[in-house]
Coordinates of all heavy atoms in Angstrom, one line a residue:
L96 N 1.5 -2.1 -8.9 CA 2.2 -1.3 -9.9 C 3.4 -0.6 -9.3 O 4.4 -0.4 -10.0 CB 1.2 -0.3 -10.6 CG 0.1 -0.9 -11.4 CD1 -0.9 0.2 -11.9 CD2 0.6 -1.8 -12.5
G97 N 3.2 -0.1 -8.1 CA 4.3 0.5 -7.4 C 5.5 -0.4 -7.2 O 6.7 -0.1 -7.3
N98 N 5.1 -1.7 -6.8 CA 6.2 -2.7 -6.6 C 6.9 -3.0 -7.9 O 8.1 -3.2 -7.9 CB 5.5 -3.9 -6.0 CG 6.5 -5.0 -5.6 OD1 7.5 -4.7 -5.0 ND2 6.2 -6.2 -6.0
L99 N 6.2 -3.1 -9.0 CA 6.8 -3.4 -10.3 C 7.5 -2.2 -10.9 O 8.4 -2.4 -11.7 CB 5.7 -3.9 -11.3 CG 5.1 -5.3 -10.8 CD1 3.9 -5.7 -11.8 CD2 6.1 -6.4 -10.7
A100 N 7.0 -1.0 -10.6 CA 7.7 0.3 -11.0 C 8.0 0.4 -12.5 O 9.1 0.6 -12.9 CB 8.9 0.5 -10.2
K101 N 7.0 0.1 -13.3 CA 7.2 0.2 -14.8 C 6.6 1.5 -15.3 O 5.5 2.0 -14.9 CB 6.4 -0.9 -15.5 CG 7.0 -2.3 -15.2 CD 6.4 -3.3 -16.1 CE 7.0 -4.7 -15.9 NZ 6.4 -5.7 -16.9
V102 N 7.4 2.2 -16.2 CA 7.0 3.4 -16.7 C 5.6 3.3 -17.4 O 4.8 4.3 -17.4 CB 8.0 4.0 -17.7 CG1 7.5 5.2 -18.5 CG2 9.3 4.2 -17.0
E103 N 5.3 2.2 -18.0 CA 4.1 2.0 -18.7 C 2.8 2.1 -17.8 O 1.7 2.3 -18.3 CB 4.0 0.6 -19.4 CG 5.0 0.4 -20.5 CD 6.4 0.0 -20.0 OE1 6.6 0.0 -18.7 OE2 7.3 -0.3 -20.8
S104 N 3.0 2.1 -16.5 CA 1.9 2.2 -15.6 C 1.5 3.6 -15.3 O 0.4 3.9 -14.8 CB 2.2 1.5 -14.3 OG 3.2 2.2 -13.6
L105 N 2.3 4.6 -15.7 CA 2.1 6.0 -15.3 C 0.7 6.5 -15.8 O 0.0 7.2 -15.1 CB 3.2 6.9 -15.9 CG 4.5 6.8 -15.0 CD1 5.5 7.8 -15.6 CD2 4.2 7.2 -13.6
P106 N 0.2 6.2 -17.0 CA -1.1 6.8 -17.4 C -2.2 6.3 -16.5 O -3.1 7.0 -16.2 CB -1.2 6.2 -18.9 CG 0.1 6.0 -19.4 CD 0.9 5.6 -18.2
Y107 N -2.1 5.0 -16.1 CA -3.1 4.5 -15.2 C -3.0 5.1 -13.8 O -4.0 5.4 -13.1 CB -2.9 2.9 -15.1 CG -3.2 2.2 -16.4 CD1 -2.2 2.2 -17.4 CD2 -4.4 1.6 -16.7 CE1 -2.4 1.5 -18.6 CE2 -4.7 1.0 -17.9 CZ -3.7 1.0 -18.9 OH -3.9 0.3 -20.1
L108 N -1.8 5.2 -13.3 CA -1.6 5.8 -12.0 C -2.0 7.3 -12.0 O -2.5 7.8 -11.0 CB -0.1 5.7 -11.6 CG 0.3 4.2 -11.3 CD1 1.8 4.2 -11.1 CD2 -0.4 3.6 -10.1
K109 N -1.8 8.0 -13.1 CA -2.2 9.4 -13.2 C -3.7 9.5 -13.1 O -4.2 10.4 -12.4 CB -1.7 10.0 -14.6 CG -2.1 11.4 -14.7 CD -1.5 12.0 -16.1 CE -1.9 13.4 -16.3 NZ -1.4 13.9 -17.6
K110 N -4.4 8.6 -13.8 CA -5.9 8.6 -13.7 C -6.3 8.3 -12.2 O -7.2 9.0 -11.7 CB -6.4 7.5 -14.6 CG -8.0 7.6 -14.6 CD -8.5 6.6 -15.6 CE -10.0 6.6 -15.7 NZ -10.6 5.7 -16.6
A111 N -5.6 7.4 -11.6 CA -6.0 7.1 -10.2 C -5.7 8.3 -9.2 O -6.3 8.5 -8.2 CB -5.2 5.8 -9.7
L112 N -4.7 9.1 -9.6 CA -4.3 10.2 -8.8 C -5.4 11.3 -8.8 O -5.4 12.1 -8.0 CB -3.0 10.8 -9.4 CG -2.2 11.8 -8.5 CD1 -1.8 11.1 -7.2 CD2 -1.0 12.3 -9.3
G113 N -6.3 11.2 -9.8 CA -7.5 12.1 -9.8 C -8.8 11.5 -9.3 O -9.8 12.0 -9.5
D114 N -8.6 10.3 -8.7 CA -9.8 9.6 -8.2 C -10.5 10.4 -7.1 O -9.9 11.2 -6.4 CB -9.4 8.2 -7.6 CG -10.6 7.3 -7.4 OD1 -10.9 6.6 -8.4 OD2 -11.2 7.3 -6.3
N115 N -11.8 10.2 -6.9 CA -12.6 10.9 -5.9 C -12.2 10.4 -4.5 O -12.4 11.2 -3.5 CB -14.1 10.6 -6.1 CG -14.6 11.3 -7.3 OD1 -14.1 12.4 -7.7 ND2 -15.7 10.8 -7.9
N116 N -11.7 9.2 -4.4 CA -11.3 8.7 -3.0 C -9.9 9.1 -2.7 O -9.0 8.7 -3.4 CB -11.5 7.1 -3.1 CG -11.3 6.5 -1.7 OD1 -10.6 7.1 -0.8 ND2 -11.9 5.4 -1.5
P117 N -9.7 9.9 -1.6 CA -8.4 10.3 -1.2 C -7.4 9.1 -0.9 O -6.2 9.2 -1.0 CB -8.6 11.2 0.0 CG -10.0 10.8 0.5 CD -10.7 10.4 -0.7
N118 N -8.0 8.0 -0.4 CA -7.2 6.8 -0.1 C -6.5 6.3 -1.4 O -5.3 5.9 -1.5 CB -8.0 5.7 0.5 CG -8.5 6.1 1.9 OD1 -8.1 7.0 2.5 ND2 -9.5 5.3 2.3
V119 N -7.3 6.3 -2.5 CA -6.8 5.8 -3.8 C -5.7 6.8 -4.3 O -4.7 6.4 -4.8 CB -7.9 5.7 -4.8 CG1 -7.4 5.5 -6.2 CG2 -8.9 4.6 -4.4
R120 N -6.0 8.1 -4.1 CA -5.0 9.1 -4.5 C -3.7 9.0 -3.7 O -2.6 9.1 -4.3 CB -5.6 10.5 -4.3 CG -6.8 10.8 -5.1 CD -7.1 12.3 -5.3 NE -7.3 13.0 -4.1 CZ -8.4 13.2 -3.5 NH1 -9.5 12.6 -3.9 NH2 -8.5 13.9 -2.4
C121 N -3.8 8.7 -2.4 CA -2.6 8.5 -1.6 C -1.8 7.3 -2.2 O -0.5 7.4 -2.4 CB -3.0 8.2 -0.2 SG -1.6 7.9 0.9
F122 N -2.4 6.2 -2.4 CA -1.7 5.0 -2.9 C -1.1 5.3 -4.3 O 0.0 4.8 -4.6 CB -2.7 3.8 -3.0 CG -2.8 3.1 -1.6 CD1 -3.3 3.8 -0.5 CD2 -2.5 1.7 -1.5 CE1 -3.4 3.1 0.7 CE2 -2.7 1.1 -0.3 CZ -3.1 1.7 0.8
A123 N -1.9 6.0 -5.1 CA -1.4 6.3 -6.5 C -0.1 7.1 -6.4 O 0.8 6.9 -7.2 CB -2.5 7.0 -7.3
A124 N -0.2 8.1 -5.5 CA 1.0 9.0 -5.4 C 2.3 8.2 -5.0 O 3.3 8.4 -5.6 CB 0.7 10.1 -4.4
E125 N 2.1 7.3 -4.0 CA 3.2 6.5 -3.6 C 3.8 5.7 -4.7 O 5.0 5.6 -4.9 CB 2.8 5.7 -2.4 CG 2.5 6.5 -1.1 CD 2.0 5.6 0.0 OE1 1.7 4.4 -0.2 OE2 1.9 6.1 1.2
S126 N 2.9 5.1 -5.5 CA 3.4 4.2 -6.6 C 4.0 5.0 -7.7 O 5.0 4.5 -8.3 CB 2.2 3.3 -7.1 OG 1.8 2.4 -6.2
I127 N 3.5 6.2 -7.9 CA 4.1 7.1 -9.0 C 5.5 7.4 -8.5 O 6.5 7.4 -9.3 CB 3.3 8.3 -9.1 CG1 2.0 8.0 -9.9 CG2 4.1 9.4 -9.9 CD1 1.0 9.1 -9.9
G128 N 5.7 7.6 -7.2 CA 7.1 7.9 -6.7 C 8.0 6.7 -6.9 O 9.2 6.9 -7.2
F129 N 7.5 5.5 -6.8 CA 8.4 4.3 -7.1 C 8.8 4.2 -8.5 O 9.9 3.7 -8.8 CB 7.7 3.0 -6.6 CG 7.5 3.0 -5.1 CD1 6.3 2.5 -4.5 CD2 8.6 3.3 -4.3 CE1 6.2 2.5 -3.2 CE2 8.5 3.2 -2.9 CZ 7.3 2.8 -2.3
V130 N 8.0 4.7 -9.4 CA 8.3 4.7 -10.9 C 9.6 5.6 -11.1 O 10.5 5.2 -11.7 CB 7.2 5.1 -11.8 CG1 7.6 5.3 -13.2 CG2 6.0 4.1 -11.7
G131 N 9.5 6.8 -10.4 CA 10.7 7.6 -10.2 C 11.3 8.3 -11.4 O 12.4 8.8 -11.4
T132 N 10.5 8.5 -12.5 CA 11.0 9.3 -13.6 C 10.7 10.8 -13.4 O 10.0 11.2 -12.5 CB 10.3 8.8 -14.9 OG1 8.9 9.1 -14.8 CG2 10.6 7.3 -15.2
D133 N 11.3 11.6 -14.3 CA 11.0 13.0 -14.3 C 9.5 13.3 -14.5 O 8.9 14.2 -13.8 CB 11.8 13.8 -15.3 CG 13.3 13.9 -15.0 OD1 13.6 13.7 -13.8 OD2 14.1 14.1 -15.9
E134 N 8.9 12.5 -15.4 CA 7.5 12.6 -15.6 C 6.7 12.3 -14.4 O 5.7 13.0 -14.0 CB 7.0 11.7 -16.8 CG 5.6 11.8 -17.1 CD 5.1 10.8 -18.2 OE1 6.0 10.0 -18.6 OE2 3.9 10.8 -18.5
A135 N 7.1 11.3 -13.6 CA 6.4 10.9 -12.4 C 6.5 12.1 -11.4 O 5.5 12.4 -10.7 CB 7.0 9.7 -11.8
K136 N 7.6 12.7 -11.3 CA 7.8 13.8 -10.3 C 6.9 14.9 -10.7 O 6.3 15.6 -9.8 CB 9.3 14.2 -10.2 CG 9.6 15.2 -9.1 CD 11.1 15.4 -9.0 CE 11.3 16.4 -7.8 NZ 12.8 16.6 -7.7
K137 N 6.8 15.2 -12.0 CA 6.0 16.4 -12.4 C 4.5 16.1 -12.1 O 3.8 17.0 -11.7 CB 6.2 16.6 -13.9 CG 7.6 17.2 -14.2 CD 7.7 17.4 -15.7 CE 9.1 17.9 -16.1 NZ 9.4 18.0 -17.5
M138 N 4.1 14.8 -12.3 CA 2.7 14.5 -11.9 C 2.4 14.8 -10.5 O 1.4 15.3 -10.1 CB 2.5 13.0 -12.2 CG 2.3 12.6 -13.6 SD 2.0 10.8 -13.6 CE 2.1 10.5 -15.4
L139 N 3.3 14.4 -9.6 CA 3.2 14.6 -8.2 C 3.1 16.1 -7.8 O 2.3 16.5 -7.0 CB 4.3 13.9 -7.4 CG 4.3 12.3 -7.5 CD1 5.6 11.8 -7.0 CD2 3.1 11.7 -6.7
E140 N 4.0 16.8 -8.4 CA 4.1 18.2 -8.1 C 2.8 19.0 -8.5 O 2.3 19.9 -7.8 CB 5.3 18.9 -8.7 CG 6.6 18.4 -8.1 CD 7.9 18.8 -8.8 OE1 7.8 19.1 -10.1 OE2 9.0 18.8 -8.2
K141 N 2.3 18.6 -9.7 CA 1.1 19.2 -10.2 C -0.1 18.8 -9.3 O -0.9 19.7 -9.0 CB 0.8 18.7 -11.6 CG -0.4 19.3 -12.3 CD -0.5 18.9 -13.7 CE -1.7 19.5 -14.4 NZ -1.8 19.1 -15.8
Q142 N -0.1 17.6 -8.8 CA -1.3 17.2 -8.0 C -1.2 17.9 -6.6 O -2.2 18.2 -6.0 CB -1.2 15.6 -7.8 CG -2.3 15.1 -6.8 CD -3.7 15.3 -7.5 OE1 -3.9 15.5 -8.7 NE2 -4.7 15.3 -6.6
L143 N 0.1 18.1 -6.1 CA 0.3 18.7 -4.8 C -0.3 20.1 -4.8 O -0.8 20.6 -3.8 CB 1.7 18.7 -4.5 CG 2.1 19.3 -3.1 CD1 1.4 18.6 -2.0 CD2 3.6 19.2 -2.9
D144 N -0.2 20.8 -5.9 CA -0.7 22.2 -6.0 C -2.2 22.3 -5.8 O -2.7 23.3 -5.4 CB -0.4 22.8 -7.4 CG 1.1 23.1 -7.6 OD1 1.8 23.2 -6.5 OD2 1.6 23.2 -8.7
K145 N -2.9 21.2 -6.1 CA -4.4 21.2 -6.0 C -5.0 20.3 -4.9 O -6.2 20.3 -4.7 CB -5.0 20.9 -7.3 CG -4.7 19.6 -8.0 CD -5.3 19.5 -9.3 CE -4.9 18.2 -10.0 NZ -5.4 18.0 -11.4
E146 N -4.1 19.4 -4.3 CA -4.6 18.5 -3.3 C -5.0 19.1 -2.0 O -4.3 20.0 -1.5 CB -3.5 17.4 -3.0 CG -4.0 16.3 -2.1 CD -5.2 15.5 -2.6 OE1 -5.1 14.8 -3.7 OE2 -6.3 15.7 -2.0
T147 N -6.2 18.8 -1.6 CA -6.7 19.4 -0.3 C -6.9 18.4 0.8 O -7.0 18.8 2.0 CB -8.1 20.0 -0.6 OG1 -9.0 19.0 -1.1 CG2 -8.0 21.1 -1.6
D148 N -6.9 17.1 0.5 CA -7.1 16.1 1.5 C -5.7 15.7 2.2 O -4.8 15.4 1.5 CB -7.7 14.9 0.9 CG -8.0 13.8 2.0 OD1 -9.2 13.9 2.6 OD2 -7.2 12.9 2.2
S149 N -5.8 15.7 3.5 CA -4.5 15.4 4.3 C -4.0 14.0 4.1 O -2.8 13.8 4.0 CB -4.7 15.7 5.8 OG -5.7 14.8 6.3
F150 N -4.9 13.0 4.0 CA -4.5 11.6 3.8 C -3.8 11.5 2.4 O -2.7 10.8 2.3 CB -5.6 10.7 3.9 CG -5.2 9.2 4.0 CD1 -4.9 8.7 5.2 CD2 -5.1 8.4 2.9 CE1 -4.5 7.3 5.3 CE2 -4.7 7.1 3.0 CZ -4.4 6.5 4.2
A151 N -4.4 12.0 1.4 CA -3.8 12.0 0.1 C -2.4 12.7 0.0 O -1.5 12.3 -0.6 CB -4.7 12.6 -1.0
K152 N -2.3 13.8 0.8 CA -1.0 14.5 0.9 C 0.1 13.7 1.4 O 1.3 13.8 1.1 CB -1.2 15.8 1.7 CG -1.9 16.9 1.0 CD -2.1 18.1 1.9 CE -2.8 19.3 1.2 NZ -2.9 20.5 2.0
V153 N -0.2 12.8 2.4 CA 0.8 11.9 2.9 C 1.5 11.1 1.7 O 2.7 11.0 1.7 CB 0.3 10.9 3.9 CG1 1.4 10.0 4.4 CG2 -0.5 11.5 5.0
G154 N 0.7 10.6 0.8 CA 1.3 9.9 -0.3 C 2.1 10.7 -1.2 O 3.2 10.3 -1.6
I155 N 1.7 12.0 -1.4 CA 2.4 12.9 -2.3 C 3.7 13.3 -1.6 O 4.8 13.3 -2.2 CB 1.6 14.1 -2.7 CG1 0.3 13.7 -3.4 CG2 2.4 15.1 -3.5 CD1 -0.6 14.8 -3.7
Y156 N 3.6 13.7 -0.4 CA 4.8 14.1 0.4 C 5.9 13.0 0.4 O 7.1 13.2 0.2 CB 4.5 14.5 1.8 CG 3.7 15.8 1.9 CD1 2.9 16.0 3.1 CD2 3.6 16.8 0.9 CE1 2.1 17.1 3.2 CE2 2.9 17.9 1.1 CZ 2.1 18.1 2.2 OH 1.4 19.2 2.4
S157 N 5.4 11.8 0.8 CA 6.3 10.7 0.9 C 7.0 10.3 -0.4 O 8.2 10.0 -0.5 CB 5.6 9.4 1.5 OG 4.6 9.0 0.7
A158 N 6.2 10.4 -1.5 CA 6.7 10.1 -2.8 C 7.8 11.1 -3.2 O 8.9 10.7 -3.8 CB 5.6 10.0 -3.9
L159 N 7.5 12.4 -3.0 CA 8.5 13.4 -3.4 C 9.7 13.3 -2.5 O 10.8 13.5 -3.0 CB 7.8 14.8 -3.3 CG 6.8 15.1 -4.4 CD1 6.1 16.4 -4.1 CD2 7.5 15.2 -5.7
H160 N 9.5 12.9 -1.3 CA 10.7 12.7 -0.4 C 11.5 11.6 -0.9 O 12.8 11.6 -0.9 CB 10.2 12.5 1.1 CG 11.4 12.4 2.0 ND1 12.0 11.1 2.3 CD2 12.0 13.3 2.8 CE1 12.9 11.3 3.2 NE2 13.0 12.6 3.5
F161 N 10.8 10.5 -1.3 CA 11.5 9.3 -1.8 C 12.3 9.7 -3.1 O 13.4 9.1 -3.4 CB 10.5 8.3 -2.2 CG 11.0 7.0 -2.9 CD1 11.6 6.0 -2.1 CD2 10.9 6.9 -4.2 CE1 12.1 4.9 -2.7 CE2 11.4 5.7 -4.9 CZ 12.0 4.7 -4.1
L162 N 11.8 10.7 -3.8 CA 12.5 11.1 -5.1 C 13.6 12.2 -4.8 O 14.1 12.7 -5.7 CB 11.4 11.7 -6.1 CG 10.5 10.6 -6.6 CD1 9.4 11.3 -7.5 CD2 11.2 9.6 -7.5
G163 N 13.8 12.4 -3.5 CA 15.0 13.3 -3.2 C 14.6 14.7 -2.7 O 15.6 15.5 -2.4
D164 N 13.4 15.0 -2.5 CA 13.0 16.3 -2.1 C 13.0 16.3 -0.5 O 12.0 16.0 0.1 CB 11.6 16.8 -2.6 CG 11.3 18.2 -2.3 OD1 12.0 18.8 -1.4 OD2 10.4 18.7 -3.0
E165 N 14.1 16.6 0.1 CA 14.2 16.5 1.5 C 13.3 17.5 2.3 O 12.9 17.2 3.4 CB 15.7 16.9 2.0 CG 16.7 15.8 1.5 CD 16.5 14.5 2.2 OE1 16.0 14.5 3.3 OE2 17.0 13.5 1.6
A166 N 12.8 18.6 1.6 CA 12.0 19.5 2.3 C 10.6 18.9 2.6 O 9.9 19.4 3.5 CB 11.7 20.7 1.4
M167 N 10.2 17.8 1.9 CA 9.0 17.2 2.2 C 8.9 16.5 3.6 O 7.8 16.3 4.1 CB 8.7 16.1 1.1 CG 8.4 16.6 -0.3 SD 6.9 17.5 -0.3 CE 7.5 19.1 -0.9

Side-chain angles (χ1 to χ4, degrees):
L96 295 179
N98 187 45
L99 297 177
K101 293 188 178 185
V102 174
E103 294 84 356
S104 67
L105 282 179
Y107 295 83
L108 293 173
K109 181 179 181 181
K110 184 176 180 180
L112 197 60
D114 195 89
N115 290 330
N116 187 331
N118 296 344
V119 173
R120 298 201 301 274
C121 177
F122 277 59
E125 290 176 351
S126 288
I127 288 170
F129 290 135
V130 174
T132 62
D133 289 340
E134 181 185 1
K136 188 173 183 180
K137 288 176 183 176
M138 281 184 191
L139 294 166
E140 291 171 339
K141 185 176 181 180
Q142 181 65 21
L143 183 57
D144 288 339
K145 58 185 178 183
E146 184 57 69
T147 58
D148 184 87
S149 64
F150 191 86
K152 284 181 179 179
V153 181
I155 300 173
Y156 292 157
S157 63
L159 288 171
H160 184 270
F161 176 81
L162 292 173
D164 189 343
E165 294 292 336
M167 289 295 118

